[in-house]
Amino acid sequence: MDDAEPFTYDGGRVDPGESQNLRYTVSETYLGDSVRMPVTIVNGERAGPTVVLTAAVHGDELNGIEVVREVAHEWDLSDLRGTLVCLPVLNVPGFIAQQRYLPIYDRDLNRAFPGEAGGTSAKRMARRIFSNFVEPCDLCVDFHTSTRGRSNMPHVRADMDDEAVSRLAHAFASNVIIDTEGASGTLRREASDAGVPTITVEMGEAHRFERALIDRALSGVASVFAEYGLLSAEVVHWPGWQTIVDGAEDKTWLRADTGGLVDMRVSRGAFVEEGAVICVIANPFKTETTKVRAPFDGLLVGVLENPVVYPGNPLCHLVNVGARTRRAIERNRGW
C-alpha cells in the first residue's frame, strides 16, 4: 500500500495521523473583517481516498450541517484510511443571516463554482473553497435540503452516465436517485467535471434539524466509507429498495391553478395512485375548493409545507416509479 500523504491547502498542511480544526478565510465583510469558513481535516495514518463532505452552500439548509459535524467530531476516525475534509458551512454569510443566498447582491453561491479569483464576490469565495478543499479530493458528498416552505424525502441527485459518480450514488444507498447532470455552476456539476465524482443529497426542509433524516444520512455516509475502504469495519448499507428516475424527463412539479390555503392530504415519500387527491386548495371561507389529483401513479419526492399559494406555486414533486418499486414502498413505509 502507498504511504499516506499530507493534505495541503493555501496556508496550511495536515500530515498523516494528524487532524486540524480551522477557520479558513474565504472573503471579507464591508468593514474589512475576515469571513472565515469552519473546516475540519482528518488525515489517516494509512493511505486511502480523500473525501470531502460539504453542507450549507445555501445558508438556510441546516440538516447537512449536523451530518458533517457528527462525522467529523463524534465518529471514531482513529482507523481512517485516507483523508476526510469536512466543510459544514460553505455559505457563511448566508448562514449568519439565515437566508439561502449570499447577502451580497443576493447571489447563489451554488451557481458560482468552480469560481474565479478575479470574479464577483460569489465567484471569489467559490474559488477559495473549490481550489483548496474540493479539487484536491477524490470524492465529494454535498448535503442540501429543500428551499423554505417545502420538504424533500431523502434522495440523491447524480449524473448516472458518469461511472464514477454512479458508483458513489449507489454507495450512499438512497431509496431514490434522480439522474441529472446538474446545472452549470453547481458544486456537484463542476466538481464532477473537474474529476472529483460528486453527488447531491437532498433531505428535509430548511431552517431546522430533522433527527430521523440526519441519522439516515449518517448511515449513507457510513456506507460510502465502507464502499471506498475508509473505515474497514463498516459494511455497505442496502436501503431495501432503490429506483433511478430520469431527471431529464421528470418535470412533474404539480402547481396550483388557484390561490388559497392548502390542505395537504399526503406526506413526502408517499406513493399515490392516479386520480388520488394530493391536496385541496380553498379560499378563506371554504366556499370554493379545488382538489389536486395525481396525474399518474407516482412517488412524492417533495411536498409543500407552507400552506399558502398563489396560482403557479409548486405543490409537490411527483415522480414515476415502476410496479416493483411500488410494492417495495408499500412494504417499507416511511419518510
Side-chain angles (χ1 to χ4, degrees):
M1 180 179 292
D2 295 337
D3 292 336
E5 297 182 355
F7 182 91
T8 60
Y9 57 90
D10 184 12
R13 168 188 175 116
V14 183
D15 288 316
E18 295 183 353
S19 62
Q20 189 176 120
N21 294 321
L22 63 138
R23 296 180 184 270
Y24 192 79
T25 298
V26 292
S27 188
E28 294 182 0
T29 70
Y30 292 128
L31 297 177
D33 297 321
S34 295
V35 174
R36 299 187 302 164
M37 178 184 72
V39 181
T40 296
I41 301 168
V42 181
N43 197 350
E45 293 183 351
R46 294 178 291 176
T50 300
V51 177
V52 57
L53 306 179
T54 62
V57 70
H58 296 129
D60 59 353
E61 297 182 354
L62 307 186
N63 274 329
I65 295 176
E66 187 59 14
V67 175
V68 178
R69 289 199 314 159
E70 289 194 25
V71 173
H73 304 295
E74 296 186 22
W75 282 20
D76 180 3
L77 301 173
S78 59
D79 195 37
L80 183 72
R81 296 174 181 265
T83 304
L84 177 62
V85 180
C86 292
L87 310 177
V89 182
L90 293 184
N91 184 350
V92 173
F95 175 75
I96 292 171
Q98 274 300 278
Q99 66 183 51
R100 181 176 177 85
Y101 300 128
L102 288 165
I104 312 162
Y105 306 122
D106 202 33
R107 292 186 182 273
D108 186 349
L109 181 60
N110 205 34
R111 292 297 184 275
F113 291 101
E116 182 181 347
T120 65
S121 54
K123 287 189 174 182
R124 291 175 188 229
M125 184 181 297
R127 190 63 204 157
R128 294 279 289 169
I129 296 168
F130 195 86
S131 62
N132 284 286
F133 302 111
V134 177
E135 217 165 16
C137 296
D138 299 306
L139 306 166
C140 175
V141 181
D142 184 31
F143 292 96
H144 288 252
T145 76
S146 188
T147 190
R148 65 181 183 179
R150 302 182 215 162
S151 182
N152 284 331
M153 72 173 288
H155 68 276
V156 164
R157 298 186 182 185
D159 180 4
M160 300 301 281
D161 288 335
D162 183 320
E163 186 175 338
V165 173
S166 177
R167 179 188 175 192
L168 178 58
H170 283 296
F172 192 82
S174 169
N175 291 124
V176 176
I177 300 171
I178 296 181
D179 178 9
T180 63
E181 187 178 22
S184 178
T186 59
L187 178 58
R188 170 165 71 91
R189 167 78 174 270
E190 301 302 335
S192 294
D193 285 352
V196 184
T198 301
I199 60 171
T200 293
V201 177
E202 292 277 357
M203 54 175 184
E205 57 186 300
H207 293 294
R208 67 188 63 226
F209 281 167
E210 296 169 274
R211 189 69 245 177
L213 303 191
I214 291 166
D215 288 342
R216 175 64 189 85
L218 288 167
S219 176
V221 174
S223 183
V224 168
F225 282 16
E227 171 68 17
Y228 292 91
L230 278 88
L231 291 176
S232 56
E234 299 297 328
V235 296
V236 178
H237 176 70
W238 168 242
W241 61 272
Q242 190 171 81
T243 187
I244 299 174
V245 178
D246 187 344
E249 296 181 359
D250 171 42
K251 304 295 183 184
T252 314
W253 272 96
L254 300 187
R255 295 182 177 272
D257 291 327
T258 60
L261 296 138
V262 181
D263 177 13
M264 189 65 65
R265 300 292 177 86
V266 288
S267 59
R268 68 186 180 201
F271 178 84
V272 293
E273 296 182 339
E274 180 178 354
V277 175
I278 293 175
C279 64
V280 177
I281 305 173
N283 66 14
F285 311 105
K286 291 197 171 183
T287 55
E288 295 182 10
T289 61
T290 301
K291 292 182 178 180
V292 179
R293 299 181 182 275
F296 52 79
D297 294 353
L299 182 67
L300 283 166
V301 171
V303 297
L304 181 75
E305 294 288 349
N306 184 349
V308 294
V309 291
Y310 285 114
N313 284 168
L315 297 167
C316 67
H317 184 191
L318 184 67
V319 301
N320 274 299
V321 294
R324 183 178 179 182
T325 298
R326 174 184 173 177
R327 290 193 296 271
I329 293 169
E330 290 171 345
R331 290 195 303 270
N332 300 273
R333 296 293 184 183
W335 310 126

